[in-house]
Amino acid sequence: MEEDRNFISKWFGFSGWKVMSAKSRIGIQILYRAIFLLGLGILIIGYGYVMNDDPGGIALFGMVLVWFMLFQFIINFIFIEGSR
């Protein structure tokens, strides 16, 4: 159970943001947050294009959750594992 918690914390937690806050300039942090919003916007537009309708509440919540977890994984990969 502890290994599962460490895995989730390592790859989907906020460790990457903490390291980025200590190492990176504010412009880089703003850029990453803008990239997050851009990616989320692309997901929503892509959904609307494929389904020919705007996403409902559950679909929108699912897209935000999945994109957030994927983005956290990317940030942690770059700033935690990439710095070794």
Side-chain angles (χ1 to χ4, degrees), residues 16-62:
W17 288 105
K18 291 177 187 174
V19 172
M20 183 174 55
S21 294
K23 289 184 177 179
S24 299
R25 296 181 178 171
I26 190 73
I28 297 295
Q29 294 178 32
I30 291 170
L31 177 66
Y32 275 101
R33 286 173 171 91
I35 290 171
F36 174 79
L37 292 175
L38 181 66
L40 184 59
I42 289 170
L43 274 176
I44 293 170
I45 291 168
Y47 180 92
Y49 182 74
V50 170
M51 301 301 279
N52 205 21
D53 194 18
D54 291 338
I58 293 175
L60 188 59
F61 179 74

Side-chain angles (χ1 to χ4, degrees), residues 60-80:
L60 188 59
F61 179 74
M63 283 188 282
V64 169
L65 184 66
V66 168
W67 176 238
F68 177 76
M69 297 299 279
L70 180 64
F71 196 75
Q72 285 296 109
F73 175 80
I74 292 168
I75 293 296
N76 287 336
F77 183 75
I78 292 170
F79 288 101
I80 301 297

